[in-house]
Amino acid sequence: MVGVSACGSSESVASNGPVATTIVATPATDSQRAGVTTTLASPIGALVRDQNGALLEGAPVAWAVLSGGGSVSLGISASAANGEAATVWTLGRTAGVQRVTATLVSGVSDTIIAIGTAGAAAVFALVDGDNQTVTVGQTSAPLQVRALDQYGNVVPSLAVTWSTTAGTLSALQNTTGTNGVASVTLQPAMGAQVVTARLATGASLTFNVRGQ
């Protein structure tokens, strides 16, 4: 009698777990506004999903400032049970759009933006229009001033009050534009006159215009 031995084999099947596949900036924390060098009111976040589209907990996310010169409180943070990883962002000195990237281990990333707004006017300067001689009945070239914050960012929407010792100004009050500049023109009287531009802080500048 010949015995036949049957050999049974078992196959080990590897089960792949969830893998961090996509990352998207959390809409509610994107595009916040704050003054330059200040911390955003809310932490910024990014949602991590696995290969099946489910929100994923425990995925490491690396945070890096892409532009604007600010800083984040955490260089790496893990996604929470709701799939969101978060960090606190302090803006840099540059007014306008600043950017931070949120990156998965795989290299997949998304960008979060914030808008830095200029600080209070620290510099109030003449741009153009001083020392003009204008024919009476004609209009001067624009008398221009510019406002900048302490970091050199232009300060828009800043009220400027204008006055003159003689002649007629095109406006007695206006505001700086997106380039930080405010301007008026003058229809001079005969002789010398002084035009003054003044901020609410008391800072002032003068232009000399002579009518002939």
Side-chain angles (χ1 to χ4, degrees), residues 172-197:
L172 296 179
Q173 187 174 52
N174 54 19
T175 58
T176 54
T178 56
N179 60 353
V181 173
S183 68
V184 295
T185 57
L186 177 72
Q187 289 186 328
M190 185 65 71
Q193 45 235 274
V194 177
V195 175
T196 301

Side-chain angles (χ1 to χ4, degrees), residues 76-159:
I76 297 177
S77 63
S79 56
N82 64 354
E84 184 178 39
T87 191
V88 174
W89 185 3
T90 299
L91 300 183
R93 296 180 174 186
T94 305
V97 176
Q98 301 189 26
R99 294 175 173 84
V100 162
T101 55
T103 306
L104 297 175
V105 172
S106 65
V108 174
S109 66
D110 197 14
T111 300
I112 299 169
I113 70 168
I115 312 300
T117 56
V123 176
F124 190 44
L126 289 175
V127 177
D128 202 4
D130 193 19
N131 294 319
Q132 296 185 58
T133 299
V134 182
T135 301
V136 173
Q138 301 297 310
T139 299
S140 71
L143 313 178
Q144 298 179 321
V145 295
R146 175 179 284 122
L148 305 173
D149 71 7
Q150 62 179 314
Y151 304 114
N153 298 302
V154 298
V155 181
S157 304
L158 184 68

Side-chain angles (χ1 to χ4, degrees), residues 159-164 167-174 184-185 196-198:
V160 180
T161 300
W162 300 85
S163 62
T164 182
T168 303
L169 290 166
S170 59
L172 296 179
Q173 187 174 52
N174 54 19
V184 295
T185 57
T196 301
R198 189 179 305 275

Side-chain angles (χ1 to χ4, degrees), residues 45-70:
L47 295 171
V48 180
R49 295 182 183 273
D50 66 16
Q51 66 271 37
N52 298 312
L55 293 168
L56 183 62
E57 181 179 5
V61 174
W63 302 91
V65 175
L66 185 62
S67 65

